[in-house]
Amino acid sequence: MEADITSQAVGLASNTDFSLWSLFLRADFIVKSVILMLIGCSIYSWAVIIEKFRLFKKINLESEEFEEKFWKSKSAETFYNSLPANVENPTALLFKDTMQSLLKAKSKTNLNERMVSVLEVNIEKQISKIDKGFTFLATVGSTAPFIGLFGTVWGIMNSFQSIAISRNTSLAIVAPGIAEALFATALGLLAAIPAVVAYNKFNNDSKKYSQRLENFSKRFLSII
């Protein structure tokens, strides 16, 4: 009798499709929801990662070109007047916004102190634009493993319920259910690891660029 049960279990396990698509289709509603959520988070994370990678590459190159042209110009006001209306580089925007405040200033008393305040506000404004999307990466990196773990726990609970109903403790019987559950954990890690690595890298890049803006601001103040 035991030999018959074992042979049936082995036969069932050998006939079970363990491909990722089959694991998803066999999963219940909760596990499927977890899997879809993690896939969506992973796709959006990679979209943010690619966008930020291109952004930092672009703004660093453009900032170098801008600063080189700026320090070769005759005067800050002349250079400001020659700027195109649709500039997008953060360093150029910082200079443009600061120059607008400078030209609008009616009183020249305590001008340097006021310009320091204006520059600090404008730097924060530009960095906040650059940092957009960082919160999502940090959230995915910290929560995705736990979301995947929730799907795993739920799937294993279903597997234990199947054991109780069938009264068969053979691993071959519950293997498909456990595989579905572990699939959720794997997806959680797959979404979290790139998000954490990217967040740390881009956060460091943002700090470096912020320092670059501060250095430009100090040099700019010295010529006002």
Side-chain angles (χ1 to χ4, degrees):
M1 184 71 175
E2 292 180 359
D4 292 339
I5 294 174
T6 303
S7 62
Q8 289 175 4
V10 172
L12 179 61
S14 61
N15 292 328
T16 302
D17 185 2
F18 284 90
S19 65
L20 298 181
W21 179 245
S22 296
L23 291 177
F24 172 76
L25 292 177
R26 283 199 304 267
D28 71 349
F29 175 76
I30 298 297
V31 179
K32 280 181 179 177
S33 299
V34 168
I35 290 173
L36 290 174
M37 183 188 302
L38 291 172
I39 290 174
C41 288
S42 181
I43 292 172
Y44 190 76
S45 293
W46 276 107
V48 173
I49 290 169
I50 293 170
E51 189 269 333
K52 293 301 176 185
F53 180 81
R54 290 176 176 174
L55 174 66
F56 279 108
K57 184 177 180 181
K58 178 183 178 182
I59 63 176
N60 282 318
L61 289 173
E62 289 181 349
S63 295
E64 288 180 7
E65 294 176 2
F66 171 82
E67 290 184 40
E68 185 179 353
K69 291 178 181 178
F70 175 75
W71 296 114
K72 288 180 179 179
S73 64
K74 294 181 179 180
S75 67
E77 189 170 350
T78 302
F79 188 75
Y80 168 75
N81 293 328
S82 66
L83 277 177
N86 58 343
V87 289
E88 296 180 356
N89 181 262
T91 307
L93 288 171
L94 171 66
F95 167 74
K96 185 178 180 180
D97 293 344
T98 306
M99 280 298 297
Q100 286 176 349
S101 300
L102 179 63
L103 295 173
K104 289 177 181 177
K106 296 180 181 179
S107 174
K108 300 299 179 181
T109 57
N110 299 323
L111 183 62
N112 193 272
E113 293 179 6
R114 282 185 288 156
M115 285 301 101
V116 168
S117 178
V118 169
L119 282 165
E120 287 177 354
V121 171
N122 287 335
I123 288 173
E124 186 176 347
K125 177 182 175 182
Q126 297 306 321
I127 293 300
S128 65
K129 292 179 183 178
I130 293 172
D131 289 351
K132 187 179 179 181
F134 283 13
T135 303
F136 180 80
L137 291 178
T139 302
V140 171
S142 60
T143 61
F146 297 102
I147 296 173
L149 184 61
F150 168 74
T152 298
V153 171
W154 187 273
I156 290 175
M157 284 173 57
N158 290 337
S159 295
F160 279 125
Q161 288 177 356
S162 299
I163 291 174
I165 293 172
S166 64
R167 296 182 181 181
N168 190 338
T169 59
S170 173
L171 183 61
I173 296 297
V174 296
I178 293 175
E180 296 161 15
L182 293 176
F183 181 39
T185 296
L187 282 177
L189 294 174
L190 188 65
I193 292 173
V196 170
V197 173
Y199 173 79
N200 291 333
K201 180 190 183 306
F202 294 141
N203 190 48
N204 186 53
D205 290 343
S206 178
K207 289 179 180 178
K208 288 181 179 179
Y209 196 81
S210 177
Q211 186 61 49
R212 181 172 196 160
L213 291 178
E214 289 178 9
N215 292 338
F216 174 78
S217 298
K218 291 175 183 177
R219 294 181 66 190
F220 178 52
L221 279 172
S222 66
I223 64 172
I224 292 178

